[in-house]
Amino acid sequence: MSATAHSVIEPTARERRFAATLIVIYALVTMLPLVWIFMTSLKTPQDSISYPPKVVFGPTLEGYVNLFTTRTRQTPEYMASLPPPETWWDELVRSRNMVIAGPSKFGERFLNSVIIGFGSTFLTIFLGTLAAYAFSRFRVPLKDDLLFFILSTRMMPPVAVAIPIFLMYRQLGLSDTHLGMILLYTAVNLSLAVWLLKGFMDEIPREYEEAAMIDGYTRLQAFRKVVLPQATTGIAATAIFCLIFAWNEYAFALLLTSGTAQTAPPFIPTIIGEGGLDWPAVAAGATLFLLPVLVFTILLRKHLLRGITFGAVRK
Amino acid sequence: MAELALEGIEKAFGTTRALDRLDLDVADGELVVLLGPTGAGKTTTLRTVAGLDRPDAGRVLIGGVDVTSEPPAVRDVAFVFQQYSLYPHYTVFENLAFPLRSPLRRQSAAVIRERVETIARMLKIESKLQNRATRLSGGEMQRVALGRALVREPALFLMDEPLSSLDAKLRETLRVELKRIQQELGATILYVTHDQIEAMTLADRIGVLEQGRLLQIAPPREIYGRPANVDVARRLGSPPINLLPPQLLPDLEAPSATHVVGVRPEDLVLNGRGVASAITQVEHLGADTVVALEANEVRLHALVSGESRLETGTTIHFSVAPDAMLFFDADGRRLDGGGERA
């Protein structure tokens, strides 16, 4: 037994080490699938399906090249008749007795994800912030019932309404359109956003905008100049949650999009190579797909952390 | 600057009646202090004048113009909040410049800079202009809040206990400063407080509010010397006024309806004649001494100037000068015949 006196609240060095070890182990467990996907994206198709799995292997960018291109197999005579390859990816493809026929659809699908993900996040935040402000500040008739109604839209899994939405969208001509997907994700995200943002708005004393209104500003100007800057933390945290949902959504995207507005999640698993799925290309697609959310979260991580601990540190 | 008139203002929050047919006039260049207990309707009055609360009935006139249904922005009033309410994302300079940058005023950058610097110098915060508003001491924050009101020369100033969250010494300094600035600018100010020293020293007239009604509005000395009723008499004075049954005082010449006699502590004369009483406590305050007495089971306080040799437990006789007595009837209204001195 250690005789050293220490504070009851402060952890000892030993407790600290123990906590750190736990965190590191947990981080490793959660990161393992991501590491596996990243490793697979650098393997050759053979290596990716070998058993036992290869941990040490010669890395190649073949998966990434396959992800972005469509290729055709050619006869050895034709291959021999070609001029020398101009780029490293030409060379890589030719080593498999193939030539690049054109770009794949991954770029388009990725762009669709960006447009729909960020578009719906922006729309959700725009509408959610205004609605949350109104709920926070005004005497809205049936306010509590309305708030409960808004929350109740999240009480079932969104996919439960997939069939009505599918039929509705077909009637309205919204199937497989960017607008349709943006509206859909906004509708799903808005309830969470209104509730989260209302909490943040309630924390901002109303004297600020009252002072601004007396200082010669309209309510909307006061909102923009005084309330919004103080709500950035809450808005950033909410935006991350909304983006992550819209970015990762799979079921609706699979059901409602097939071509022009198809997002990356339903597209990636359909990347077919010779003799089945092209796993390195699928893994390369998944790796690239993770990046935007990762960057967005890192950029806003300060806000995110403060957003989560908002109520606790403010007073 | 302009005058303010409230006519028959009524305001209820749910079933609570905050203002009950309130009439109030503030003359151009006058400083009126509203005094009253918590929940008397002081803050609601200010918010109604500012346009932050809309009255259920009645009219608000600023400079003779009916602004009852106008939004706060166009009323040209300045409001100093109890909790400063400085914009936390701005520097001191930006806080002070904020009213001047409003779309209603649109001053040029040079004019704004000059106005802000003048005000900052007046309030002695010019060295803090580039600080974040949240990185200031309480006194500095309150100066900035005052500055934000002063910077645009509004028709009317509304101040809601602006000094109450400061420590005693700072409160005194700023109180003196505020009076000086008010006289310099000839500003019209409606000021809310529950601190009677603030009310007595600042006010041209004091309005005593209770339960949404104005009990009396008059210059401080009149409020103190000739209160309209018992509630007003009790609101001012420390220690509070002694309220005695008429039977306690012998040879009393009072109006027949007299129910209670009010005597300020400083008007009790401890001269060895009159009513016998026991001394229960003696408190030396430095310049004055508060003596607590008990006569016929009535507790009262006397204020004696200087240090007193009186001792707890002894008996002393006291009397009251007839012109210092205030007579109240059974409903608490003051009767004529007393308080000639005021």
Side-chain angles (χ1 to χ4, degrees):
Chain A
M1 275 250 282
S2 161
T4 353
H6 68 272
S7 153
V8 192
I9 310 161
E10 281 285 304
T12 60
R14 201 159 149 214
E15 285 163 352
R16 254 185 240 275
R17 273 198 300 275
F18 180 67
T21 315
L22 274 187
I23 289 168
V24 169
I25 290 171
Y26 178 74
L28 285 177
V29 169
T30 47
M31 283 194 306
L32 193 66
L34 299 179
V35 173
W36 190 257
I37 288 173
F38 180 64
M39 276 168 60
T40 305
S41 76
L42 295 175
K43 286 179 180 177
T44 61
Q46 271 81 25
D47 283 349
S48 74
I49 52 171
S50 69
Y51 189 84
K54 284 191 176 173
V55 179
V56 183
F57 57 92
T60 165
L61 286 173
E62 198 179 332
Y64 290 88
V65 173
N66 291 356
L67 176 67
F68 282 102
T69 59
T70 54
R71 304 154 305 281
T72 50
R73 181 165 290 282
Q74 301 294 342
T75 57
E77 296 79 44
Y78 178 76
M79 297 300 292
S81 71
L82 289 173
E86 283 171 23
T87 57
W88 61 267
W89 54 84
D90 273 332
E91 201 177 330
L92 195 75
V93 171
R94 281 188 206 182
S95 68
R96 301 266 177 218
N97 282 328
M98 291 192 279
V99 290
I100 291 172
S104 76
K105 290 204 167 117
F106 181 73
E108 276 171 48
R109 301 303 189 247
F110 192 86
L111 188 65
N112 283 344
S113 266
V114 170
I115 293 169
I116 291 168
F118 283 86
S120 83
T121 301
F122 177 81
L123 191 61
T124 306
I125 293 301
F126 177 76
L127 295 173
T129 310
L130 288 176
Y133 178 74
F135 274 120
S136 170
R137 295 297 197 262
F138 299 131
R139 251 185 295 165
V140 182
L142 299 177
K143 181 195 273 185
D144 292 343
D145 302 286
L146 276 175
L147 277 170
F148 181 78
F149 170 71
I150 289 171
L151 189 66
S152 72
T153 60
R154 280 303 278 267
M155 289 182 183
M156 60 198 166
V159 185
V161 291
I163 291 174
I165 285 179
F166 179 78
L167 296 173
M168 196 163 72
Y169 266 43
R170 206 176 50 183
Q171 282 292 317
L172 293 171
L174 286 172
S175 293
D176 205 17
T177 61
H178 292 101
L179 180 66
M181 295 312 285
I182 288 175
L183 289 177
L184 181 65
Y185 291 161
T186 304
V188 174
N189 268 333
L190 203 51
S191 62
L192 179 75
V194 168
W195 272 77
L196 278 177
L197 288 168
K198 179 179 178 292
F200 291 115
M201 294 287 176
D202 286 343
E203 295 267 323
I204 302 170
R206 41 173 85 210
E207 275 92 15
Y208 290 126
E209 71 239 43
E210 290 182 341
M213 280 158 67
I214 290 169
D215 281 343
Y217 294 80
T218 64
R219 185 173 278 278
L220 213 60
Q221 288 162 342
F223 172 75
R224 198 166 54 82
K225 292 220 161 212
V226 178
V227 179
L228 270 192
Q230 293 186 68
T232 42
T233 292
I235 289 173
T238 311
I240 290 176
F241 291 129
C242 291
L243 179 71
I244 289 174
F245 171 82
W247 189 255
N248 289 339
E249 206 285 325
Y250 178 75
F252 277 118
L254 185 68
L255 188 72
L256 295 175
T257 65
S258 50
T260 33
Q262 193 182 40
T263 53
F267 174 76
I268 290 172
T270 64
I271 302 167
I272 312 281
E274 286 186 310
L277 284 169
D278 187 346
W279 288 113
V282 169
T287 305
L288 292 181
F289 185 67
L290 284 171
L291 284 179
V293 175
L294 188 72
V295 171
F296 193 65
T297 311
I298 288 174
L299 285 180
L300 296 180
R301 71 185 185 286
K302 201 178 77 190
H303 289 301
L304 190 62
L305 204 63
R306 269 181 57 203
I308 290 166
T309 56
F310 198 53
V313 292
R314 190 104 192 268
K315 282 168 190 159
Chain B
M1 293 298 136
E3 73 275 11
L4 164 75
L6 296 180
E7 293 175 357
I9 299 289
E10 284 184 45
K11 176 78 189 172
F13 295 105
T15 53
T16 329
R17 178 163 280 199
L19 295 178
D20 191 3
R21 270 162 292 146
L22 180 78
D23 293 302
L24 177 69
D25 286 291
V26 182
D28 192 0
E30 189 183 30
L31 197 162
V32 168
V33 172
L34 291 180
L35 194 64
T38 312
K42 298 173 303 215
T43 299
T44 308
T45 308
L46 288 194
R47 292 176 58 89
T48 304
V49 175
L52 296 173
D53 283 337
R54 191 146 303 172
D56 300 331
R59 299 201 304 159
V60 180
L61 293 102
I62 297 174
V65 182
D66 186 346
V67 295
T68 317
S69 50
E70 300 288 341
V74 302
R75 295 191 179 199
D76 197 23
V77 301
F79 203 120
V80 182
F81 292 85
Q82 185 175 1
Q83 289 304 327
Y84 324 133
S85 299
L86 303 183
Y87 308 119
H89 54 297
Y90 284 157
T91 63
V92 170
F93 182 91
E94 287 166 330
N95 262 280
L96 293 173
F98 192 73
L100 300 176
R101 285 176 177 158
S102 123
L104 289 179
R105 277 172 274 273
R106 289 200 187 287
Q107 304 280 359
S108 73
V111 172
I112 291 175
R113 174 155 293 281
E114 204 227 295
R115 276 299 294 158
V116 168
E117 278 169 1
T118 311
I119 293 292
R121 226 172 294 124
M122 184 157 111
L123 293 167
K124 303 186 183 70
I125 43 171
E126 65 264 53
S127 62
K128 306 280 181 185
L129 280 177
Q130 296 314 316
N131 286 30
R132 280 292 282 265
T134 44
R135 302 262 166 83
L136 298 174
S137 70
E140 288 162 350
M141 283 197 199
Q142 197 52 278
R143 278 160 206 262
V144 178
L146 281 173
R148 199 173 60 188
L150 292 168
V151 77
R152 35 177 267 230
E153 299 169 344
L156 181 67
F157 289 95
L158 304 168
M159 303 195 179
D160 187 4
E161 311 209 16
L163 307 180
S164 67
S165 37
L166 305 176
D167 65 66
K169 201 173 162 217
L170 203 55
R171 203 181 312 163
E172 206 175 305
T173 319
L174 276 180
R175 195 177 70 212
V176 173
E177 211 139 301
L178 191 62
K179 187 71 188 168
R180 182 179 60 78
I181 291 168
Q182 190 251 336
Q183 283 165 346
E184 227 166 78
L185 301 176
T188 314
I189 301 183
L190 187 58
Y191 189 105
V192 157
T193 186
H194 60 254
D195 181 325
Q196 53 167 310
I197 299 177
E198 251 171 67
M200 293 298 284
T201 51
L202 284 175
D204 293 318
R205 283 190 301 155
I206 294 178
V208 180
L209 268 184
E210 207 162 296
Q211 294 183 330
R213 286 165 170 273
L214 195 58
L215 299 182
Q216 186 180 6
I217 180 160
R221 291 179 62 177
E222 196 179 324
I223 292 269
Y224 188 78
R226 300 170 63 87
N229 56 40
V230 173
D231 291 323
V232 175
R234 263 199 298 239
R235 186 113 311 269
L236 282 175
S238 172
I241 192 167
N242 297 303
L243 297 170
L244 313 172
Q247 309 84 286
L248 188 71
L249 304 165
D251 310 326
L252 183 70
E253 283 174 38
S256 54
T258 302
H259 186 72
V260 174
V261 179
V263 181
R264 295 280 177 199
E266 63 271 23
D267 294 327
L268 278 187
V269 189
L270 305 180
N271 55 3
R273 285 177 291 146
V275 187
S277 62
I279 299 176
T280 56
Q281 201 176 15
V282 181
E283 291 177 308
H284 293 280
L285 302 180
D288 305 303
T289 304
V290 177
V291 185
L293 305 167
E294 197 175 317
N296 286 341
E297 297 185 351
V298 178
R299 290 161 181 278
L300 26 93
H301 290 96
L303 192 67
V304 197
S305 63
E307 202 166 316
S308 163
R309 298 232 174 91
L310 297 171
E311 275 175 40
T312 310
T314 57
T315 302
I316 192 160
H317 293 258
F318 71 85
S319 58
V320 185
D323 63 355
M325 290 187 210
L326 300 166
F327 305 117
F328 300 100
D329 68 11
D331 295 328
R333 278 193 297 267
R334 189 170 61 82
L335 300 161
D336 290 332
E340 274 86 11
R341 224 185 17 164

